[in-house]
Amino acid sequence: MGKQPAALLNPHTYDPRQFDAETRRLLRATIDWFEGRGKAKLTEDYHAKVFYSDFLEFAGKEGLFATFLTPAGDADGHPDKRWDTSRIAALSEILGFYGLNYWYPWQVTILGLGPVWQSGNETARKRAADALAAGGVGAFGLSEKEHGADIYSSDLVLTPDGAGGYLANGSKYYIGNGNCAGTVSVFGRLDGVEGQDQYVFFYADSDHPNYHVVKNVVPSQMYVAEFRLEDYPVREEDLLHTGAEAFSAALNTVNIGKFNLCFGGIGMATHSLYEAITHAHNRVLYGNPVTDFPHVRREFVDAYARLVAMRLFSDRSIDYFRSANAEDRRYLLFNPITKMKVTTEAQRVIGLVADVVAAKGFEADTYLAMAKTDVDGLPKLEGTVAVNLALIAKFMPAYLFQPESYPEVPTRADAADDEFLFRQGPARGLSKVRFHDWRAVYTRSAGVPNVARFTEQAEGLVELLAKATPDADQQADLDFGLAVAELFTLVVYGQLVLEQAEITGLADDVLDQIFEVLVRDFSAGAVELYGKSGSTEAQQRLALAAVRKPVVDAGRFDRVWAEVAALSGTYRMNP
């Protein structure tokens, strides 16, 4: 492996040369808009809860959402419009870097468009493309106040109007952009119909007189709406999906859209790290620079290692999304890990640097004061961590015990339209998804001491599952199952970290430091599994046998610390 330092987003030097000219222009224009607006305005609007209409105006004027979120087939020949996951991720990170409140309207527009771009309704598709081109945004009308995202229990009901259409009545809750979206994909059910045939997705518009915005349900810049439909007319041309197809469209939209949670978290954690290291490295306490204290250095190195790992895993996941097809759906495992693991890592990174700067992180003019509050929302924007861990566990037998051969997945930053994401098919058959041999990249990286040590732990998990296989009662025990899924997640996480480290030529020092963190995390998870009330004596013995102390290397730690210290002063947001 080479000796390149890990690359973090720095708006002052950002030059995404992997993209085409118009993509580069729009990404750079977004950064320039925020930097020109300045940090004082950013923080003042945040604390005053000012709705981000100026950002939506900028995005509309530049054609930002329209260019990035219109599939090529709906672009009416526009050469720069396509659904390109790599540049969508890049913009998600930039918006997260400047605050969750600016990432959010972009994120929920992606979700609102998901059911439309999966639909065969050409009238609705053109309507959505035209709304985007006019500077509009989208909203995903799925959740309800009493049921959350439980789509089996929707209380929004469509009744026949006697003229071939329907009247929709009911309310939706937690709906971002629900106050201003021209494209609102609404999930409901047909009155008097049972089973999967009852489900329906239809196109609504927040400007319609029968669409009533009730309130913003959060105390924030974000507008997370409760809206109510009262005899809202739904015509044939408004129907996006019916029956089982509507159910799959909801889940497949989450597969597409919630992937961006990880990049929002990476952006937030990166800005927080810059602000914290610049403050701490230039502050003297008790006659010493703050960063001379060993525990402060440890927290910064830990934060840096976790952040680089987040970036490596998420960037490699893009390649699997973009290369997916009906025979290769490995992305369906990597997606919930980005939603659960990367977002909780963002919490940990921001928590670590906040511990260092202490009182400074509460000041109104800091980015960190915003990030500390908002980052907790990321893991919760897709149900809960438990929801994603339960999903991840479905892939565990095939991943660990039934590897198959696949062609090598290349790095995907090409200007292609990721049209497969809108024809994923039925949202079932997860146990049939197969994976390439996870051991291969661990073996290639065995010369890195903590990779070798973590590999021992991964094999320990395999041994536990093979020799002390959870019985039927344990498999039905969600609390026990989640502890196992946490350990499994670390194995998958490490695999893609290693793959991307190979691709980018990441320095061995940084990679070893990342796996020191993963060894510690695995040991903590093994102790957690040991302590579960339902664990057997054999499982307890094998869990403790997987506990390891990471390989300690003071020279490597000091070299990685030097990389972190060198970040001091490299980025300050324009005032």
Side-chain angles (χ1 to χ4, degrees):
M1 294 183 186
K3 295 297 179 185
Q4 302 171 20
L8 300 180
L9 169 64
N10 184 338
H12 292 340
T13 58
Y14 186 66
D15 180 17
R17 285 174 288 180
Q18 70 272 32
F19 295 126
D20 61 275
E22 180 62 5
T23 298
R24 292 198 305 271
R25 186 193 72 79
L26 285 168
L27 293 173
R28 190 68 246 179
T30 303
I31 287 173
D32 291 345
W33 183 81
F34 280 106
E35 293 291 337
R37 193 165 168 264
K39 189 174 185 179
K41 176 70 170 168
L42 186 81
T43 56
E44 287 166 6
D45 280 4
Y46 176 86
H47 294 294
K49 302 179 179 62
V50 176
F51 183 61
Y52 34 67
S53 55
D54 56 348
F55 170 66
L56 297 182
E57 182 180 343
F58 156 78
K61 180 181 176 183
E62 291 289 346
L64 185 62
F65 291 11
T67 303
F68 279 32
L69 301 182
T70 306
D74 299 278
D76 196 25
H78 193 292
D80 297 308
K81 291 183 178 180
R82 63 182 183 277
W83 193 282
D84 176 337
T85 301
S86 57
R87 67 178 187 175
I88 288 172
L91 182 56
S92 297
E93 181 181 2
I94 289 169
L95 295 177
F97 188 94
Y98 290 106
L100 192 71
N101 289 306
Y102 299 94
W103 170 88
Y104 184 71
W106 155 257
Q107 166 69 9
V108 291
T109 296
I110 290 171
L111 294 171
L113 292 168
V116 180
W117 300 144
Q118 291 177 71
S119 174
N121 183 335
E122 295 298 331
T123 300
R125 293 172 71 103
K126 185 177 188 315
R127 184 178 171 191
D130 290 346
L132 277 175
V137 297
F140 189 47
L142 185 71
S143 296
E144 297 182 7
K145 185 174 185 178
E146 301 303 326
H147 308 295
D150 177 6
I151 55 181
Y152 294 98
S153 307
S154 177
D155 287 334
L156 192 140
V157 178
L158 281 69
T159 54
D161 64 1
Y166 300 90
L167 294 176
N169 285 277
S171 63
K172 292 291 179 178
Y173 207 79
Y174 307 125
I175 311 303
N177 291 350
N179 61 319
C180 61
T183 303
V184 187
S185 296
V186 183
F187 186 85
R189 60 182 177 85
L190 299 175
D191 189 36
V193 179
E194 298 296 325
Q196 287 197 320
D197 289 344
Q198 69 184 299
Y199 301 125
V200 61
F201 249 121
F202 63 94
Y203 193 125
D205 186 338
S206 64
D207 283 337
H208 194 282
N210 294 41
Y211 180 112
H212 303 282
V213 178
V214 178
K215 63 180 178 180
N216 186 0
V217 303
V218 298
S220 168
Q221 280 184 276
M222 296 184 285
Y223 204 104
V224 185
E226 177 185 7
F227 72 77
R228 186 176 68 253
L229 302 182
E230 295 181 353
D231 286 341
Y232 187 99
V234 180
R235 305 158 297 172
E236 182 71 25
E237 58 263 39
D238 299 324
L239 294 176
L240 300 172
H241 303 275
T242 56
E245 185 184 282
F247 190 88
S248 290
L251 298 181
N252 289 341
T253 293
V254 169
N255 289 339
I256 298 164
K258 295 296 179 80
F259 180 52
N260 294 299
L261 290 163
C262 65
F263 293 99
I266 290 168
M268 294 174 72
T270 302
H271 196 156
S272 298
L273 177 62
Y274 282 131
E275 189 176 73
I277 188 63
T278 299
H279 170 72
H281 203 49
N282 294 280
R283 183 167 172 79
V284 174
L285 286 180
Y286 310 112
N288 296 290
V290 167
T291 50
D292 279 0
F293 294 107
H295 70 287
V296 168
R297 291 191 176 188
R298 179 188 56 77
E299 288 177 309
F300 269 125
V301 168
D302 227 34
Y304 181 68
R306 290 183 186 279
L307 178 55
V308 174
M310 291 160 61
R311 148 125 279 135
L312 294 168
F313 181 88
S314 302
D315 282 351
R316 185 58 175 152
S317 296
I318 291 172
D319 302 333
Y320 287 95
F321 264 78
R322 303 198 73 196
S323 299
N325 55 59
E327 286 71 49
D328 181 358
R329 300 198 295 161
R330 287 175 284 179
Y331 72 100
L332 290 175
L333 168 59
F334 305 142
N335 186 44
I337 292 176
T338 61
K339 292 185 293 182
M340 180 278 295
K341 176 65 176 172
V342 180
T343 57
T344 54
E345 286 294 281
Q347 288 179 300
R348 293 182 79 162
V349 170
I350 291 171
L352 283 164
V353 299
D355 282 348
V356 172
V357 302
K360 182 69 176 177
F362 291 91
E363 294 181 12
D365 62 351
T366 64
Y367 178 85
L368 195 53
M370 304 189 300
K372 285 194 308 178
T373 300
D374 291 344
V375 71
D376 287 345
L378 283 174
K380 300 174 182 67
L381 283 170
E382 170 43 31
T384 63
V385 168
V387 168
N388 286 295
L389 280 171
L391 176 57
I392 289 163
K394 294 178 184 293
F395 299 98
M396 187 159 53
Y399 178 95
L400 291 176
F401 298 103
Q402 301 169 323
E404 294 188 1
S405 295
Y406 282 94
E408 184 68 24
V409 171
T411 298
R412 294 292 309 276
D414 48 306
D417 193 67
D418 300 336
E419 48 86 28
F420 172 74
L421 297 177
F422 299 108
R423 52 178 183 85
Q424 296 176 60
R428 60 175 182 265
L430 300 186
S431 64
K432 297 178 181 177
V433 177
R434 293 294 179 266
F435 302 88
H436 57 300
D437 185 1
W438 60 274
R439 290 183 172 92
V441 73
Y442 279 101
T443 300
R444 293 197 300 272
S445 305
V448 178
N450 280 304
V451 174
R453 190 146 293 184
F454 182 82
T455 305
E456 296 172 10
Q457 295 179 301
E459 295 291 0
L461 174 63
V462 173
E463 183 181 10
L464 186 153
L465 293 171
K467 294 183 177 179
T469 309
D471 60 24
D473 287 342
Q474 288 177 317
Q475 291 179 42
D477 179 353
L478 184 59
D479 188 47
F480 179 87
L482 294 180
V484 176
E486 284 272 18
L487 297 176
F488 171 58
T489 296
L490 288 170
V491 178
V492 185
Y493 194 68
Q495 180 202 336
L496 262 60
V497 165
L498 289 172
E499 289 185 12
Q500 190 67 7
E502 284 186 331
I503 290 166
T504 59
L506 183 74
D508 283 357
D509 281 341
V510 179
L511 188 62
D512 201 22
Q513 196 67 44
I514 288 170
F515 274 83
E516 177 186 304
V517 169
L518 295 184
V519 169
R520 284 191 268 117
D521 287 354
F522 195 100
S523 293
V527 172
E528 179 78 11
L529 180 60
Y530 170 87
K532 289 298 176 187
S533 60
S535 62
T536 65
E537 286 188 10
Q539 289 164 345
Q540 292 169 36
R541 175 176 52 80
L542 290 167
L544 286 187
V547 172
R548 295 286 187 281
K549 179 178 178 176
V551 178
V552 177
D553 183 336
R556 176 247 300 159
F557 178 91
D558 288 344
R559 291 188 294 274
V560 176
W561 160 246
E563 282 194 28
V564 182
L567 296 174
S568 173
T570 57
Y571 172 76
R572 286 187 177 92
M573 187 173 178
N574 288 340

